[in-house]
Amino acid sequence: PGDPQDPAARGAVLFDTIYGRNAEGVRAHLESLDPTFARWIAEHAYGRVLTRPGLDAASRELLAVAMLGAMGHDRQLASHARGAVRCGADPHEVSAVIDAVEDLLPSGKSERAHEIVDRFSKS
């Protein structure tokens, strides 16, 4: 869909893959925060950075899961755990990422991260 040479089109395809049926709601939320920020996310973060060659989308999503789990951002962790699976990662891989960063998580946060990943990577 769209022109593969156009970063905005590539970004939109990836964004839709990651967020699935929630993509429009996430876009609307970003737009409500700040239209310029929403455009930057769509065109730069997704269109230029996350779609560039080197790593496939599943690997990039697994990295997002590791970072978000370590930072304790539960809502975003849920979205990217689901996004990792939508991009081709196995749910066991998503869980293994949390295992890999477990020593970076504050006390008690590891269980919570696993609960989120287990719930959202299998749905």
Side-chain angles (χ1 to χ4, degrees), residues 12-117:
V13 170
L14 179 60
F15 194 93
D16 290 347
T17 301
I18 291 170
Y19 294 103
R21 61 186 161 89
N22 298 319
E24 287 309 312
V26 174
R27 280 188 182 97
H29 175 69
L30 292 170
E31 185 76 22
S32 75
L33 295 173
D34 184 289
T36 302
F37 178 65
R39 191 170 44 258
W40 182 88
I41 291 289
E43 294 175 6
H44 183 73
Y46 281 84
R48 289 188 175 82
V49 175
L50 296 175
T51 60
R52 69 182 173 214
L55 287 177
D56 61 22
S59 297
R60 291 180 198 275
E61 283 299 286
L62 291 171
L63 289 168
V65 166
M67 179 215 35
L68 294 164
M71 294 176 69
H73 292 292
D74 293 354
R75 183 175 179 187
Q76 292 84 0
L77 174 59
S79 292
H80 288 279
R82 186 182 289 141
V85 173
R86 286 180 178 145
C87 289
D90 183 272
H92 298 291
E93 291 177 294
V94 183
S95 185
V97 165
I98 297 301
D99 291 338
V101 298
E102 201 160 29
D103 61 325
L104 300 173
L105 298 173
S107 179
K109 293 291 185 178
S110 176
E111 273 185 41
R112 178 70 180 146
H114 272 293
E115 288 171 9
I116 291 167
V117 163

